[in-house]
Amino acid sequence: MGIETIIGLAALIMAAIAGAFGIGHSRGTSKAEVKADKQRTEEKAAATEAVAERRLEATKEASNVQQTVNHMPDNDVNRELRDTWKRGS
């Protein structure tokens, strides 16, 4: 076995090791990207759900206020509005 053969085998082994690390790194990167995408999707879904719940609650409260106002005599509504919404001086 000549020195060229030994150097060639060593280079081949080093190339195989480097290739294995490169493939492993790319797989790891791909898995990390998939995991990050999944997490972003879950966070976006949770945020969307929270917004929908807040909107629903606001709609219910607005409906309750509307019903309360509809059942109040006009004088009471005017007094409530005057007491609550006074002009600033």
Side-chain angles (χ1 to χ4, degrees), residues 55-67:
R55 283 184 183 161
L56 180 63
E57 187 63 31
T59 302
K60 285 181 183 178
E61 289 298 322
S63 176
N64 291 343
V65 168
Q66 182 66 43
Q67 281 197 341

Side-chain angles (χ1 to χ4, degrees), residues 17-69:
I17 292 171
F21 277 117
I23 291 171
H25 176 72
S26 68
R27 280 187 180 169
T29 301
S30 177
K31 286 181 182 179
E33 288 173 351
V34 168
K35 185 177 179 181
D37 286 344
K38 182 180 176 188
Q39 184 176 356
R40 279 192 294 271
T41 301
E42 290 171 353
E43 289 171 354
K44 186 175 180 180
T48 302
E49 183 178 349
V51 167
E53 288 175 4
R54 286 194 299 270
R55 283 184 183 161
L56 180 63
E57 187 63 31
T59 302
K60 285 181 183 178
E61 289 298 322
S63 176
N64 291 343
V65 168
Q66 182 66 43
Q67 281 197 341
T68 301
V69 169

Side-chain angles (χ1 to χ4, degrees), residues 1-9:
M1 223 193 251
I3 190 129
E4 292 88 13
T5 306
I6 294 173
I7 292 174
L9 286 173

